[in-house]
Amino acid sequence: MENLRIRKTPLPLFSVLVFLLHFSSLHFPSLAYEPPDNYFINCGSNANATLYNHVFTADRFFHSKASSHINGGNQSNLYLTARIFRQESYYRFDITENGTYFVRLHFLAFASSSSNLSAALFDVSAFPNILNSGFMLLKNFTAKNSSGNSTIKEFFLGIDPGSFRIYFTPRGSSFAFVNAIEVFLAPANFSPKNYTSSSPLVLHTIYRVNVGGQEVRPDKDKLWRNWDPDDLYLKNSNSAQEAVSSQMPDYKEYELDGFVAAANDSIAPVSVYDTAKVMDNSSSSPSTLFNITWSFNVRRNAKHLVRAHFCDLVGQTADIVFNLYSNGNFTKRVGGPESMFGNLLPYYYDFVVESKESKLINISIGPNAEETTTKNSFLNGLEMLEIMEESAPIPNMKEPKSINVIVVVGSVLGGLFLICILVVGFLFGLKYRKAKHVETSEWSPMPAFGGGSTHSRFTEGTITGSPMTYLNLGLKISFAQLQQATNNFDTKFLIGEGGFGNVYRGTLSDGRIVAVKRGKRHEHSSGQGLPEFETEIMVLSRIRHRHLVSLIGYCDERSEMILVYEFMEKGTLREHLYESNLPRLTWKQRLDICIGAARGLHYLHKGAAGGIIHRDVKSTNILLDAKCVAKVADFGLSRSGPLDETHVSTNVKGTFGYLDPEYIMTQQLTEKSDVYSFGVVLLEVLCARPALDRNLPREQINLAEWGMNCKKNGLLEQIVDSSLKGQIDPSSLRKFSETTEKCLQEDAYDRPTMGDVLWDLEYALQLQQTAKHREPHDDSTINASSEFILPNVQHFPSHSSTVNPDDMTFSGVDESDKAAMKYSHN
């Protein structure tokens, strides 16, 4: 087994610590390994470990924190270390050969001076192919075990060549951990038979039983499996007796009528096929002659793949005909002279059974009285694997600026090595604090821009009657300064008109070019527009992001409502798609713009204090600077508050054509309402036409409905902007359209988060940039998670409700919203 390959950035430090310090500056993409496709990993250790005479390779040669008082007892040294994850993290494995893979996760919840692993609560998910959604392997998992033994979770996954990832996601404020990981290719003839599904193969081993025999330990199995004795599961011990053979099973390779001959002892070891349970014909009770039944506790309403192993040890194959039952239902006829499975020839049969509401699965064998007078039956082994059907959300791939990996190590370090670690920790701490400082400054509010005022409406209270203590008074700019900046709001400097008011280009006294949005005069006295004005200031004065338009200042003198923003030279996204003579954007430019806007919205949802829902996402509220960097604008309709709540009840506001249908129906606002609106923007980008166009035929008026109808009928390529002809890679188009379709789901529960959307769009860009498949975020770290935890958004039923039109205030309808913030060089 080759050692771990890790990307690293060397530091120009003295040679004694060069090796160690390489690891202090790692930007872990994950734990990626060289072929072959067999990986056995000792997690959290700087040394190899051995279990059942099998070597597990260290996942790192550096640890940032050592534990003490670790008592492995009789456990292998594989369980003396663990890797702890405080945020969503992953291991990555390079797969070169497609097939069915064993995936085993080892857990032992030991306690150290720094961590008690029994307190961990987390999810584990797998992504066999980045183009597909992942699968939840373990949910709300805790490794606490009263017996003090290790817990091994085994899965079978169908994996295609490429990058395979296993994610560990802490629940709430808890953490995740793992002691060891196995990923290796199963034998070619190992895949389940008689099982078809449109979903990739994902199975979780629940039971593996050696019927009629003793426990088979992993060191006695070629694939390191554990087989339990069946007595615990036997429903009536008087119904069966053990049969044992001293001869070797006759392994062969062929199939017949759904039965598969075991080609070798990788299917099941000799110790499984040379023991069996058979009918106990010595009993005088007629009921005991009917069948032998094994009963297993399982999850309610879960599907299971069952593999039943047979090998005739009685020597009466030609005479024995019996039936296999599941939950009392006939499943398969076994045996008979035409079976071609002779004495000592091992074979198996796969079938699917569902647990229903009983939380039990019963497997039975019993003689077929109609076809034979020999009342006997036999079974050698049983494997029961749950079919995992719950998909996992695509993880957020945002790259953190610092590393926060904690390793618990139970070994005693030498004095010299410990000194080296302390030096590394000191240098690493300096690097961490520097990175943290940079990160903090990036998200800090805009520096205050001076200027006093003679009177402020906010000192009198807000619309709720509370003083506006949240406004950043340092951002106030005097009316006189803005008059000077715009030449007294000269129409020559008018660059846009919107629902709130006119937008002017201005130049401040320090030379900065800004956009000045002045509220309409008729709204000042009536109070209309004041909530939007206040909201915009409160939102933008406390957030700062590269993809959100920055607020330079505001003015509230003389009943004025004026907002001052950074100037966006290239205007709105809509202008570059249609309704202007500007050069059309390339496909790559459009993807970059969509990714930038998605980053801004994702930050609003997850990064801003308390979470913010924009509520008016549209192409006129996505602005472009001189380098075509996208920035989300216009936060007047935004709602802030904790987004982990189910919803916020509110009067429906937004723009026709972009409004979330579920929000209209229920008046329940969630961040998924922004996701729907953004899906409409994605269609605008692809098709270069408005969200609503009443000049088109009836079925084409609403872009979202028309676009999704075309997608469903395979006609999407026909409505793509003609200026993009020949530019779009088919794979990029497919990923982009799939992302759009997910955003536009009618049920908010079925829509992705903005983090998911961002991940998909970045991958669509990767597909566009290269014909060769390349994993996005190859330079992301092992803790490749967002800085913000994804919310648990509950499912809202799509029910009808009566909405009073008078209560539905909108910021504007597309037809009348002529470039709400039309920033340009004019």
Side-chain angles (χ1 to χ4, degrees), residues 63-81:
H63 60 84
S64 60
K65 188 172 184 179
S67 63
S68 58
H69 306 294
I70 303 300
N71 181 11
N74 296 323
Q75 295 288 339
S76 159
N77 59 2
L78 183 71
Y79 296 109
L80 291 180
T81 63

Side-chain angles (χ1 to χ4, degrees), residues 17 34 60 93 105 117 257 344 395 585 644 667:
L17 293 179
E34 297 284 352
R60 288 178 67 192
F93 305 91
L105 307 174
L117 301 186
D257 190 29
L344 300 179
L585 299 166
D644 55 350
Q667 300 186 50

Side-chain angles (χ1 to χ4, degrees), residues 229-271:
D230 70 311
D231 292 336
L232 290 175
Y233 312 106
L234 195 60
K235 202 166 185 180
N236 183 354
S237 60
N238 295 324
S239 64
Q241 59 185 358
E242 294 180 0
V244 181
S245 172
S246 59
Q247 302 181 55
M248 281 289 293
D250 185 15
Y251 289 104
K252 293 183 179 178
E253 186 173 356
Y254 64 90
E255 299 182 24
L256 177 68
D257 190 29
F259 293 99
V260 183
N264 51 57
D265 58 356
S266 291
I267 300 300
V270 172
S271 50

Side-chain angles (χ1 to χ4, degrees), residues 216-318:
V216 180
R217 300 288 292 170
D219 57 334
K220 301 299 183 182
D221 184 295
K222 275 193 173 181
L223 300 178
W224 306 285
R225 294 164 296 187
N226 194 88
W227 299 75
D228 296 321
D230 70 311
D231 292 336
L232 290 175
Y233 312 106
L234 195 60
K235 202 166 185 180
N236 183 354
S237 60
N238 295 324
S239 64
Q241 59 185 358
E242 294 180 0
V244 181
S245 172
S246 59
Q247 302 181 55
M248 281 289 293
D250 185 15
Y251 289 104
K252 293 183 179 178
E253 186 173 356
Y254 64 90
E255 299 182 24
L256 177 68
D257 190 29
F259 293 99
V260 183
N264 51 57
D265 58 356
S266 291
I267 300 300
V270 172
S271 50
V272 170
Y273 284 124
D274 66 8
T275 60
K277 279 286 195 334
V278 299
M279 302 293 297
D280 185 357
N281 293 322
S282 63
S283 175
S284 59
S285 172
S287 62
T288 61
L289 295 177
F290 176 69
N291 62 26
I292 311 172
T293 299
W294 294 264
S295 186
F296 302 92
N297 291 315
V298 294
R299 282 200 313 121
R300 181 184 287 113
N301 295 321
K303 293 180 181 178
H304 293 77
L305 177 76
V306 179
R307 175 168 288 183
H309 296 268
F310 303 96
C311 186
D312 181 15
L313 307 183
V314 183
Q316 299 172 320
T317 300

